[in-house]
Amino acid sequence: MANIQNNQGGYSKRAMDYFQNPKHVGEIENPDGTGKVGNPVCGDVMHIYIKVEDNKISEIRFKTFGCVAAISSSEALCVIAEGKPLDEAEKITNKDILGHLGWLPPVKMHCSILGAEGLHEAIKDYREKHKKA
Ligand code: FES
């Protein structure tokens, strides 16, 4: 826990690392589901793209126009969600994202909500496109 609790300008070490070196930035060609959410507080926007295989999230990418907290939360979401069955991924909340990051400045808590909502939208989109007739 010490390695992620070590604050840097109010951000945990892990949050700064995710912001500076995100591994999941980008788009997926022909995604199975997409989600787009905006933060009403600041107007920032996040796009989530997922690929689904065997009912699991096999690949996930994000494009986020936002602050350090929004980008590190997007990366945390992808790390948590990748490989998870859809039913489990649907239950990911911003508390899980915050727990994974260790710490965000209190005024930035609202930014972490984007990640979970974006994923839920992408799963909903996938389910709508793959409804059995
Ligand atoms: Fe907009 Fe953080 S200030 S998402």
Side-chain angles (χ1 to χ4, degrees), residues 9-54:
Y11 291 93
S12 69
K13 197 163 179 267
R14 179 177 276 171
M16 283 312 290
D17 182 48
Y18 280 5
F19 171 65
Q20 287 168 332
N21 306 297
K23 307 272 190 293
H24 296 85
V25 174
E27 284 181 46
I28 295 175
E29 217 174 303
N30 302 318
D32 293 319
T34 60
K36 179 185 170 199
V37 284
N39 187 333
V41 180
C42 61
D44 290 342
V45 179
M46 171 195 283
H47 295 262
I48 295 283
Y49 308 88
I50 58 171
K51 273 276 184 205
V52 177
E53 271 170 47
D54 298 331

Side-chain angles (χ1 to χ4, degrees), residues 4-5 7-8 10-12 15 98-106 109:
I4 61 170
Q5 291 288 5
N7 277 1
Q8 297 184 2
Y11 291 93
S12 69
L98 287 171
H100 183 85
L101 288 174
W103 174 257
L104 285 178
M109 292 300 177

Side-chain angles (χ1 to χ4, degrees), residues 39 42 44 67 70 108 110-111 114:
N39 187 333
C42 61
D44 290 342
C67 63
K108 289 287 173 182
H110 68 96
C111 311
L114 281 188

Side-chain angles (χ1 to χ4, degrees), residues 41-84:
V41 180
C42 61
D44 290 342
V45 179
M46 171 195 283
H47 295 262
I48 295 283
Y49 308 88
I50 58 171
K51 273 276 184 205
V52 177
E53 271 170 47
D54 298 331
N55 238 21
K56 286 184 186 161
I57 297 182
S58 58
E59 200 181 345
I60 177 166
R61 293 286 179 272
F62 74 88
K63 276 199 350 199
T64 297
F65 176 79
C67 63
V68 174
I71 289 167
S72 56
S73 297
S74 306
E75 176 66 12
L77 165 79
C78 292
V79 170
I80 297 169
E82 201 157 54
K84 276 222 174 15

